Amino acid sequence: MKLIISLLVSMVFSAIASADTAFPRGSFEMADLEKAKALANEEKKGIAFIYTDKLSTCGLCQGATAAFIDAVKSKTVIVYADSTATKVWWPQLPEPVRQALIPGKFIPKIVVTDATASKVSASLTYEAYEADDSKAIRGLKKAMRAE
């Protein structure tokens, strides 16, 4: 019986660890940045650039990414910036977003801008989130409300 329970527990943890980070329907990839800008302008929302690896098996990364998504999903148009393909899309990023993505050593990172992606209203690194997740998310939401 103990063996069966141990096997079930390890299967559950394996399934959780290998789960991809789910971005909400209507999120965009960097290749579709212009479409994201058009939608943000149409809906009068900001754009949230989430720099992460949605295929990461790191539970901490997945948890922080999910918290970032949850914090901004109703107020912004989300753009997934794949951290494993930075060289491909980095040149098309607006300069203010590039500058806001530089701080922080670990993923995920989030940068929230206006609908044109020319003015940064909020940003958050994994390090700040790890130090105090509740305070970091409150600060992100507060900065977005001030916009």
Side-chain angles (χ1 to χ4, degrees):
M1 186 66 170
K2 287 183 183 180
L3 179 61
I4 293 172
I5 292 173
S6 295
L7 286 173
L8 287 174
V9 169
S10 66
M11 286 179 9
V12 168
F13 283 126
S14 295
I16 291 170
S18 66
D20 298 346
T21 300
F23 277 75
R25 177 177 289 173
S27 296
F28 293 87
E29 303 269 337
M30 281 299 302
D32 294 321
L33 179 56
E34 292 307 315
K35 290 179 185 176
K37 286 180 180 181
L39 181 62
N41 188 45
E42 179 183 314
E43 294 184 355
K44 304 207 181 320
K45 291 183 174 182
I47 300 174
F49 293 86
I50 300 181
Y51 178 72
T52 192
D53 176 5
K54 67 180 172 183
L55 302 177
S56 174
T57 57
C58 172
L60 298 173
C61 176
Q62 288 179 348
T65 301
F68 290 2
I69 291 169
D70 192 49
V72 301
K73 68 183 174 189
S74 65
K75 303 282 186 201
T76 65
V77 172
I78 295 176
V79 175
Y80 167 57
D82 184 357
S83 64
T84 65
T86 304
K87 289 181 182 179
V88 174
W89 54 260
W90 190 261
Q92 77 184 72
L93 258 182
E95 184 62 25
V97 178
R98 263 189 259 160
Q99 292 303 314
L101 282 175
I102 292 172
K105 192 174 180 180
F106 302 106
I107 59 172
K109 301 176 187 181
I110 185 170
V111 177
V112 181
T113 69
D114 63 352
T116 64
S118 60
K119 181 181 173 198
V120 173
S121 60
S123 66
L124 181 58
T125 63
Y126 173 76
E127 291 84 351
Y129 176 81
E130 179 186 37
D132 188 342
D133 59 346
S134 297
K135 181 179 177 183
I137 294 296
R138 276 194 315 271
L140 180 68
K141 287 180 177 181
K142 183 177 180 183
M144 287 174 30
R145 278 193 304 270
E147 184 58 25

